[in-house]
Structures are given as C-alpha cells and as structure tokens.
CSV table of all heavy atoms in Angstrom, one decimal:
chain,number,residue,atom,x,y,z
A,31,LEU,N,-42.4,-3.0,21.6
A,31,LEU,CA,-41.4,-2.0,21.8
A,31,LEU,C,-41.4,-0.9,20.7
A,31,LEU,O,-41.6,-1.3,19.6
A,31,LEU,CB,-39.9,-2.6,22.0
A,31,LEU,CG,-39.7,-3.6,23.2
A,31,LEU,CD1,-38.3,-4.2,23.1
A,31,LEU,CD2,-39.8,-2.9,24.5
A,32,PRO,N,-41.1,0.3,21.1
A,32,PRO,CA,-40.9,1.4,20.1
A,32,PRO,C,-39.7,1.0,19.2
A,32,PRO,O,-38.8,0.2,19.6
A,32,PRO,CB,-40.5,2.6,20.9
A,32,PRO,CG,-41.0,2.3,22.3
A,32,PRO,CD,-41.0,0.8,22.5
A,33,LYS,N,-39.5,1.6,18.1
A,33,LYS,CA,-38.6,1.1,17.1
A,33,LYS,C,-37.2,1.3,17.6
A,33,LYS,O,-36.3,0.3,17.5
A,33,LYS,CB,-38.7,2.0,15.8
A,33,LYS,CG,-37.8,1.6,14.7
A,33,LYS,CD,-38.1,2.4,13.5
A,33,LYS,CE,-37.2,2.0,12.3
A,33,LYS,NZ,-37.4,2.7,11.1
A,34,THR,N,-36.8,2.4,18.3
A,34,THR,CA,-35.4,2.5,18.7
A,34,THR,C,-35.1,1.5,19.9
A,34,THR,O,-34.1,0.9,19.9
A,34,THR,CB,-35.1,3.9,19.2
A,34,THR,OG1,-36.1,4.2,20.2
A,34,THR,CG2,-35.2,4.8,18.1
A,35,SER,N,-36.1,1.4,20.8
A,35,SER,CA,-35.9,0.5,21.9
A,35,SER,C,-35.9,-1.0,21.5
A,35,SER,O,-35.2,-1.8,22.0
A,35,SER,CB,-37.0,0.6,23.0
A,35,SER,OG,-37.0,2.0,23.5
A,36,ARG,N,-36.7,-1.2,20.4
A,36,ARG,CA,-36.8,-2.5,19.9
A,36,ARG,C,-35.5,-3.0,19.3
A,36,ARG,O,-35.0,-4.2,19.7
A,36,ARG,CB,-37.8,-2.6,18.8
A,36,ARG,CG,-38.1,-3.9,18.1
A,36,ARG,CD,-39.0,-3.7,16.9
A,36,ARG,NE,-40.1,-2.9,17.1
A,36,ARG,CZ,-40.8,-2.3,16.1
A,36,ARG,NH1,-40.5,-2.4,14.8
A,36,ARG,NH2,-41.9,-1.6,16.5
A,37,ALA,N,-34.8,-2.2,18.6
A,37,ALA,CA,-33.5,-2.6,18.0
A,37,ALA,C,-32.4,-2.9,19.0
A,37,ALA,O,-31.7,-3.9,19.0
A,37,ALA,CB,-32.9,-1.5,17.1
A,38,GLN,N,-32.5,-2.0,20.1
A,38,GLN,CA,-31.5,-2.2,21.2
A,38,GLN,C,-31.8,-3.4,22.0
A,38,GLN,O,-30.8,-4.2,22.3
A,38,GLN,CB,-31.4,-0.9,22.1
A,38,GLN,CG,-30.3,-0.9,23.2
A,38,GLN,CD,-29.0,-1.1,22.6
A,38,GLN,OE1,-28.6,-0.4,21.6
A,38,GLN,NE2,-28.1,-1.9,23.2
A,39,SER,N,-33.0,-3.7,22.3
A,39,SER,CA,-33.3,-4.8,23.2
A,39,SER,C,-33.1,-6.1,22.5
A,39,SER,O,-32.6,-7.0,23.0
A,39,SER,CB,-34.8,-4.6,23.5
A,39,SER,OG,-35.3,-5.8,24.3
A,40,CYS,N,-33.5,-6.2,21.2
A,40,CYS,CA,-33.2,-7.4,20.5
A,40,CYS,C,-31.8,-7.6,20.2
A,40,CYS,O,-31.3,-8.8,20.3
A,40,CYS,CB,-33.9,-7.3,19.1
A,40,CYS,SG,-35.8,-7.3,19.2
A,41,LYS,N,-31.0,-6.6,20.1
A,41,LYS,CA,-29.6,-6.8,19.9
A,41,LYS,C,-29.0,-7.3,21.2
A,41,LYS,O,-28.0,-8.1,21.1
A,41,LYS,CB,-29.0,-5.4,19.5
A,41,LYS,CG,-27.4,-5.4,19.3
A,41,LYS,CD,-26.9,-4.1,19.0
A,41,LYS,CE,-25.3,-4.2,18.7
A,41,LYS,NZ,-24.8,-2.8,18.4
A,42,THR,N,-29.4,-6.7,22.3
A,42,THR,CA,-28.9,-7.2,23.6
A,42,THR,C,-29.2,-8.6,23.9
A,42,THR,O,-28.4,-9.4,24.3
A,42,THR,CB,-29.5,-6.3,24.7
A,42,THR,OG1,-29.2,-5.0,24.6
A,42,THR,CG2,-29.0,-6.8,26.1
A,43,ASN,N,-30.4,-9.1,23.5
A,43,ASN,CA,-30.8,-10.4,23.6
A,43,ASN,C,-30.0,-11.4,22.8
A,43,ASN,O,-29.6,-12.4,23.3
A,43,ASN,CB,-32.4,-10.5,23.3
A,43,ASN,CG,-32.8,-12.0,23.5
A,43,ASN,OD1,-32.9,-12.7,22.5
A,43,ASN,ND2,-33.3,-12.2,24.7
A,44,ASN,N,-29.7,-10.9,21.6
A,44,ASN,CA,-28.9,-11.7,20.7
A,44,ASN,C,-27.5,-11.9,21.3
A,44,ASN,O,-26.9,-13.0,21.2
A,44,ASN,CB,-28.9,-11.2,19.3
A,44,ASN,CG,-30.2,-11.3,18.5
A,44,ASN,OD1,-30.9,-12.3,18.9
A,44,ASN,ND2,-30.4,-10.5,17.6
A,45,ASN,N,-26.9,-10.8,21.8
A,45,ASN,CA,-25.6,-10.8,22.4
A,45,ASN,C,-25.5,-11.8,23.5
A,45,ASN,O,-24.5,-12.5,23.7
A,45,ASN,CB,-25.1,-9.5,22.7
A,45,ASN,CG,-24.7,-8.6,21.6
A,45,ASN,OD1,-24.5,-9.2,20.5
A,45,ASN,ND2,-24.8,-7.3,21.7
A,46,GLU,N,-26.5,-11.7,24.3
A,46,GLU,CA,-26.6,-12.6,25.6
A,46,GLU,C,-26.7,-14.0,25.2
A,46,GLU,O,-26.1,-14.9,25.8
A,46,GLU,CB,-27.8,-12.2,26.4
A,46,GLU,CG,-27.6,-10.9,27.2
A,46,GLU,CD,-28.9,-10.5,28.0
A,46,GLU,OE1,-29.9,-11.1,27.8
A,46,GLU,OE2,-28.8,-9.5,28.6
A,47,LYS,N,-27.4,-14.2,24.1
A,47,LYS,CA,-27.6,-15.7,23.5
A,47,LYS,C,-26.2,-16.3,23.1
A,47,LYS,O,-25.9,-17.3,23.4
A,47,LYS,CB,-28.6,-15.7,22.5
A,47,LYS,CG,-28.9,-17.1,21.9
A,47,LYS,CD,-30.0,-17.1,20.8
A,47,LYS,CE,-30.1,-18.5,20.3
A,47,LYS,NZ,-31.1,-18.5,19.2
A,48,LYS,N,-25.5,-15.4,22.3
A,48,LYS,CA,-24.2,-15.8,21.7
A,48,LYS,C,-23.2,-16.1,22.9
A,48,LYS,O,-22.5,-17.1,22.9
A,48,LYS,CB,-23.6,-14.7,20.9
A,48,LYS,CG,-24.4,-14.6,19.5
A,48,LYS,CD,-23.8,-13.4,18.7
A,48,LYS,CE,-24.4,-13.3,17.3
A,48,LYS,NZ,-23.9,-12.2,16.5
A,49,ASN,N,-23.2,-15.1,23.9
A,49,ASN,CA,-22.3,-15.4,25.0
A,49,ASN,C,-22.6,-16.7,25.8
A,49,ASN,O,-21.8,-17.4,26.2
A,49,ASN,CB,-22.3,-14.2,26.0
A,49,ASN,CG,-21.7,-13.0,25.5
A,49,ASN,OD1,-20.8,-13.1,24.5
A,49,ASN,ND2,-21.9,-11.8,26.0
A,50,SER,N,-24.0,-16.9,25.9
A,50,SER,CA,-24.4,-18.1,26.6
A,50,SER,C,-24.0,-19.4,25.9
A,50,SER,O,-23.5,-20.3,26.5
A,50,SER,CB,-25.9,-18.1,26.8
A,50,SER,OG,-26.4,-19.3,27.3
A,51,GLU,N,-24.1,-19.4,24.6
A,51,GLU,CA,-23.7,-20.5,23.7
A,51,GLU,C,-22.2,-20.7,23.8
A,51,GLU,O,-21.8,-21.8,23.9
A,51,GLU,CB,-24.0,-20.2,22.3
A,51,GLU,CG,-25.6,-20.3,22.0
A,51,GLU,CD,-26.0,-19.9,20.6
A,51,GLU,OE1,-25.0,-19.4,19.9
A,51,GLU,OE2,-27.1,-20.1,20.2
A,52,LYS,N,-21.4,-19.7,23.9
A,52,LYS,CA,-19.9,-19.8,24.0
A,52,LYS,C,-19.6,-20.3,25.4
A,52,LYS,O,-18.5,-21.1,25.4
A,52,LYS,CB,-19.3,-18.4,23.9
A,52,LYS,CG,-19.3,-17.9,22.4
A,52,LYS,CD,-18.8,-16.5,22.3
A,52,LYS,CE,-19.0,-15.8,21.0
A,52,LYS,NZ,-18.7,-14.4,20.9
A,53,LYS,N,-20.3,-20.1,26.4
A,53,LYS,CA,-19.9,-20.6,27.8
A,53,LYS,C,-20.4,-22.1,28.0
A,53,LYS,O,-20.0,-22.7,29.0
A,53,LYS,CB,-20.6,-19.7,28.8
A,53,LYS,CG,-19.9,-18.3,28.9
A,53,LYS,CD,-20.7,-17.4,29.7
A,53,LYS,CE,-20.4,-17.7,31.2
A,53,LYS,NZ,-21.0,-16.8,32.1
A,54,LYS,N,-21.2,-22.6,27.1
A,54,LYS,CA,-21.7,-23.9,27.4
A,54,LYS,C,-20.6,-25.0,27.1
A,54,LYS,O,-19.7,-24.8,26.3
A,54,LYS,CB,-22.9,-24.3,26.4
A,54,LYS,CG,-24.2,-23.6,26.7
A,54,LYS,CD,-25.2,-23.9,25.7
A,54,LYS,CE,-26.5,-23.2,26.0
A,54,LYS,NZ,-27.5,-23.4,25.0
A,55,GLY,N,-20.7,-26.0,27.9
A,55,GLY,CA,-19.7,-27.1,27.6
A,55,GLY,C,-18.6,-27.1,28.6
A,55,GLY,O,-18.2,-26.2,29.2
A,56,LYS,N,-18.0,-28.3,28.8
A,56,LYS,CA,-16.8,-28.5,29.6
A,56,LYS,C,-15.5,-28.1,28.9
A,56,LYS,O,-15.3,-28.2,27.8
A,56,LYS,CB,-16.7,-30.0,30.0
A,56,LYS,CG,-15.7,-30.3,31.0
A,56,LYS,CD,-15.8,-31.8,31.6
A,56,LYS,CE,-14.8,-31.9,32.7
A,56,LYS,NZ,-14.8,-33.4,33.2
A,57,ILE,N,-14.7,-27.4,29.7
A,57,ILE,CA,-13.5,-26.7,29.1
A,57,ILE,C,-12.2,-27.4,29.5
A,57,ILE,O,-12.0,-27.8,30.6
A,57,ILE,CB,-13.5,-25.2,29.6
A,57,ILE,CG1,-14.6,-24.5,29.1
A,57,ILE,CG2,-12.2,-24.5,29.2
A,57,ILE,CD1,-14.8,-23.0,29.6
A,58,LEU,N,-11.3,-27.5,28.5
A,58,LEU,CA,-9.9,-28.0,28.7
A,58,LEU,C,-9.0,-27.0,28.2
A,58,LEU,O,-9.2,-26.4,27.1
A,58,LEU,CB,-9.7,-29.3,28.1
A,58,LEU,CG,-8.3,-30.0,28.1
A,58,LEU,CD1,-8.0,-30.3,29.5
A,58,LEU,CD2,-8.2,-31.2,27.2
A,59,ILE,N,-8.0,-26.7,29.0
A,59,ILE,CA,-6.9,-25.7,28.5
A,59,ILE,C,-5.7,-26.5,28.3
A,59,ILE,O,-5.0,-27.0,29.3
A,59,ILE,CB,-6.7,-24.7,29.6
A,59,ILE,CG1,-8.1,-23.9,29.9
A,59,ILE,CG2,-5.6,-23.6,29.2
A,59,ILE,CD1,-8.2,-23.5,31.3
A,60,VAL,N,-5.2,-26.6,27.0
A,60,VAL,CA,-4.0,-27.4,26.7
A,60,VAL,C,-3.0,-26.4,26.4
A,60,VAL,O,-3.2,-25.5,25.5
A,60,VAL,CB,-4.3,-28.4,25.5
A,60,VAL,CG1,-3.1,-29.1,25.1
A,60,VAL,CG2,-5.4,-29.3,25.9
A,61,PHE,N,-1.7,-26.5,26.9
A,61,PHE,CA,-0.8,-25.5,26.6
A,61,PHE,C,0.7,-26.0,26.8
A,61,PHE,O,0.9,-27.0,27.6
A,61,PHE,CB,-1.0,-24.2,27.5
A,61,PHE,CG,-0.5,-24.5,29.0
A,61,PHE,CD1,0.7,-24.2,29.4
A,61,PHE,CD2,-1.5,-25.1,29.8
A,61,PHE,CE1,0.9,-24.4,30.8
A,61,PHE,CE2,-1.2,-25.3,31.1
A,61,PHE,CZ,0.0,-25.0,31.6
A,62,PHE,N,1.6,-25.5,26.1
A,62,PHE,CA,3.0,-25.6,26.3
A,62,PHE,C,3.6,-24.3,26.8
A,62,PHE,O,3.1,-23.3,26.2
A,62,PHE,CB,3.7,-26.1,25.1
A,62,PHE,CG,5.2,-26.0,25.2
A,62,PHE,CD1,6.0,-27.0,25.9
A,62,PHE,CD2,6.0,-24.9,24.7
A,62,PHE,CE1,7.3,-26.9,26.2
A,62,PHE,CE2,7.3,-24.8,25.0
A,62,PHE,CZ,8.0,-25.8,25.6
A,63,SER,N,4.5,-24.3,27.7
A,63,SER,CA,5.1,-23.1,28.2
A,63,SER,C,6.6,-23.3,28.4
A,63,SER,O,6.9,-24.3,29.0
A,63,SER,CB,4.4,-22.6,29.4
A,63,SER,OG,4.7,-21.2,29.7
A,64,HIS,N,7.4,-22.4,28.1
A,64,HIS,CA,8.9,-22.6,28.2
A,64,HIS,C,9.4,-21.7,29.5
A,64,HIS,O,9.1,-20.5,29.6
A,64,HIS,CB,9.6,-22.1,26.9
A,64,HIS,CG,11.0,-22.3,27.1
A,64,HIS,ND1,11.9,-21.3,27.0
A,64,HIS,CD2,11.8,-23.5,27.0
A,64,HIS,CE1,13.2,-21.8,27.1
A,64,HIS,NE2,13.0,-23.2,27.0
A,65,THR,N,10.2,-22.5,30.3
A,65,THR,CA,10.9,-21.7,31.3
A,65,THR,C,12.4,-21.6,30.9
A,65,THR,O,12.8,-22.1,29.9
A,65,THR,CB,10.7,-22.5,32.7
A,65,THR,OG1,11.2,-23.8,32.5
A,65,THR,CG2,9.3,-22.5,33.1
A,66,GLY,N,13.1,-20.9,31.8
A,66,GLY,CA,14.5,-20.6,31.5
A,66,GLY,C,14.7,-19.2,30.8
A,66,GLY,O,13.9,-18.3,31.0
A,67,GLU,N,15.6,-19.1,29.8
A,67,GLU,CA,15.9,-17.9,29.2
A,67,GLU,C,14.8,-17.6,28.1
A,67,GLU,O,14.7,-18.5,27.1
A,67,GLU,CB,17.3,-17.8,28.6
A,67,GLU,CG,17.7,-16.5,28.0
A,67,GLU,CD,19.0,-16.5,27.4
A,67,GLU,OE1,19.7,-17.6,27.3
A,67,GLU,OE2,19.5,-15.4,27.0
A,68,ASN,N,14.1,-16.6,28.2
A,68,ASN,CA,13.1,-16.2,27.2
A,68,ASN,C,13.4,-14.8,26.7
A,68,ASN,O,13.8,-13.9,27.4
A,68,ASN,CB,11.7,-16.2,27.9
A,68,ASN,CG,11.1,-17.6,27.8
A,68,ASN,OD1,10.1,-17.9,27.2
A,68,ASN,ND2,11.7,-18.4,28.7
A,69,TYR,N,13.1,-14.5,25.5
A,69,TYR,CA,13.3,-13.2,24.8
A,69,TYR,C,12.5,-12.2,25.6
A,69,TYR,O,11.3,-12.4,25.9
A,69,TYR,CB,12.9,-13.3,23.3
A,69,TYR,CG,13.2,-12.1,22.6
A,69,TYR,CD1,14.5,-11.8,22.2
A,69,TYR,CD2,12.2,-11.2,22.3
A,69,TYR,CE1,14.8,-10.6,21.5
A,69,TYR,CE2,12.5,-10.0,21.6
A,69,TYR,CZ,13.8,-9.7,21.2
A,69,TYR,OH,14.0,-8.5,20.5
A,70,ALA,N,13.1,-11.1,25.9
A,70,ALA,CA,12.5,-9.9,26.4
A,70,ALA,C,12.2,-10.0,28.0
A,70,ALA,O,12.0,-8.9,28.5
A,70,ALA,CB,11.2,-9.5,25.7
A,71,VAL,N,12.2,-11.1,28.5
A,71,VAL,CA,11.9,-11.3,29.9
A,71,VAL,C,13.0,-12.0,30.7
A,71,VAL,O,12.9,-12.0,32.0
A,71,VAL,CB,10.6,-12.0,30.1
A,71,VAL,CG1,9.4,-11.2,29.6
A,71,VAL,CG2,10.6,-13.4,29.6
A,72,GLY,N,14.1,-12.4,30.1
A,72,GLY,CA,15.1,-13.0,30.8
A,72,GLY,C,14.9,-14.5,31.3
A,72,GLY,O,14.0,-15.2,30.7
C-alpha cells in the first residue's frame, strides 16, 4: 500500500481486531434497579 493508504488500512484492521476481541465470550448483565419514587423522574 502507499504510505497514506497504508496507515489508514492498518489502523482500520487494528480497530476491527479490537472490536472483535471485545465481542468474544458469553455475556452476563448483572444489575440492581429501583422502582417507586426516584429523583427527577417521580
């Protein structure tokens, strides 16, 4: 690749790799949430 295209292409590849790594694995969402009277929303 030319120098300018090279930098952009490699950067894109690295970003895709990072996003792929973040998406790997089984996900659990653990949370507590309060109902009833809440500040600002009633």
Side-chain angles (χ1 to χ4, degrees):
L31 295 176
K33 186 175 180 180
T34 53
S35 298
R36 183 189 309 161
Q38 184 59 42
S39 178
C40 291
K41 182 179 179 182
T42 301
N43 182 265
N44 287 337
N45 287 340
E46 288 175 354
K47 183 180 177 184
K48 286 179 181 178
N49 286 340
S50 177
E51 287 174 351
K52 289 171 185 176
K53 290 175 72 175
K54 287 178 182 176
K56 192 172 181 181
I57 295 170
L58 178 65
I59 304 142
V60 178
F61 69 96
F62 167 82
S63 194
H64 184 249
T65 57
E67 186 181 6
N68 278 245
Y69 184 78
V71 296

